[in-house]
């Protein structure tokens, strides 16, 4: 991973990324696993020790992958994704490998009211999110009311960095440590 705005080979390239940027980056990377063609959301849950305890992205329930991802309001509700999709927050909570008591959730889209209930009940104490694009909808207003009432810290995440993930980057740029990329020979230095 490198910061895009830093000169190649500078000391900035060698500096580790901020912990919050790292965890939000994992949420962003997780959303790329989502099969939803319209709204891709990712979540990363981290414990008080700074350890990742769960990741999730929005998807259909296991065995229901063939269900429609349609948002077409002219279709009956049972023919749209509304009642079927598992949100990223839900999947992350279900994927946990330990108690979520006092954990922080990093999520790319502010949680809906149903996910807010799960977050509260799981013991998560803090939520950081990138986008709050549906803030005017009642279900998201309800989330904020529940979070505030239950003492769940929630804030919009802001970063000034662009982080690039290069799967062929190595720590040492010597020729012997370069990974060959057969699909893109220009990457093979």
């Amino acid at each position: 991973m490198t910061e895009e705005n830093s000169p190649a080979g500078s000391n900035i390239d060698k500096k580790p990324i901020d912990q919050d940027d790292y965890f939000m980056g994992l949420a962003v990377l997780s959303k790329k696993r989502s099969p939803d063609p319209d709204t891709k959301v990712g979540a990363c849950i981290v414990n008080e020790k700074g350890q990742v305890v769960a990741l999730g992205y929005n998807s259909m329930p296991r065995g229901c992958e063939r269900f429609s991802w349609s948002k077409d309001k002219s279709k009956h509700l049972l023919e749209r994704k509304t009642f079927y999709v598992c949100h990223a927050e839900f999947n992350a909570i279900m994927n946990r490998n330990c108690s979520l008591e006092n954990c922080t959730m990093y999520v790319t889209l502010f949680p809906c009211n149903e996910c807010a209930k799960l977050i509260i009940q799981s013991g998560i104490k803090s939520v950081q999110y990138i986008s709050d694009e549906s803030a005017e909808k009642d279900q998201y207003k309800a989330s904020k009311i529940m979070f505030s009432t239950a003492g769940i810290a929630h804030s919009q995440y802001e970063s000034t960095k662009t982080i690039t993930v290069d799967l062929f980057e190595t720590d040492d740029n010597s020729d012997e440590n370069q990974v060959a990329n057969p699909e893109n020979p220009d990457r093979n230095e």
Side-chain angles (χ1 to χ4, degrees):
M1 291 187 178
T2 59
E3 295 176 27
E4 284 217 353
N5 297 332
S6 63
S10 72
N11 287 337
I12 294 174
D13 286 340
K14 308 292 184 205
K15 183 179 174 186
I17 62 172
D18 175 84
Q19 188 168 336
D20 287 327
D21 287 337
Y22 173 68
F23 296 135
M24 190 60 82
L26 289 174
V28 170
L29 196 57
S30 293
K31 82 178 191 173
K32 294 184 179 297
R33 295 272 308 138
S34 172
D36 188 330
D38 297 313
T39 308
K40 295 183 181 297
V41 181
C44 174
I45 304 175
V46 179
N47 67 17
E48 292 176 297
K49 295 178 183 177
Q51 299 165 324
V52 174
V53 296
L55 297 169
Y57 53 88
N58 53 323
S59 64
M60 290 295 176
R62 291 180 189 150
C64 300
E65 294 85 0
R66 64 176 181 78
F67 286 10
S68 172
W69 282 100
S70 176
K71 288 173 41 175
D72 184 351
K73 293 189 190 275
S74 69
K75 290 185 175 185
H76 188 275
L77 268 174
L78 294 176
E79 297 174 358
R80 300 189 308 219
K81 70 178 187 175
T82 309
F83 290 144
Y84 306 112
V85 68
C86 296
H87 289 183
E89 301 92 328
F90 171 88
N91 280 328
I93 289 168
M94 294 302 296
N95 290 337
R96 73 188 183 280
N97 61 18
C98 62
S99 168
L100 300 181
E101 204 66 36
N102 297 316
C103 286
T104 297
M105 177 179 280
Y106 295 82
V107 63
T108 58
L109 186 63
F110 188 79
C112 71
N113 62 306
E114 293 299 320
C115 289
K117 290 184 243 182
L118 289 167
I119 290 165
I120 292 165
Q121 292 299 93
S122 72
I124 291 171
K125 291 297 178 200
S126 174
V127 176
Q128 291 198 33
Y129 57 92
I130 293 175
S131 174
D132 194 10
E133 65 188 43
S134 300
E136 296 308 311
K137 293 183 179 178
D138 286 341
Q139 65 197 50
Y140 296 93
K141 289 178 183 178
S143 295
K144 289 179 181 163
I145 291 168
M146 285 189 283
F147 282 161
S148 294
T149 303
I152 308 298
H154 54 286
S155 60
Q156 191 158 18
Y157 183 75
E158 294 182 25
S159 179
T160 58
K161 298 176 188 152
T162 299
I163 299 169
T164 304
V165 176
D166 182 350
L167 297 178
F168 298 100
E169 178 183 342
T170 63
D171 287 338
D172 182 358
N173 289 327
S174 67
D175 289 337
E176 64 194 48
N177 288 329
Q178 292 297 315
V179 177
N181 181 352
E183 291 182 18
N184 187 352
D186 293 338
R187 295 295 317 252
N188 300 331
E189 299 173 20

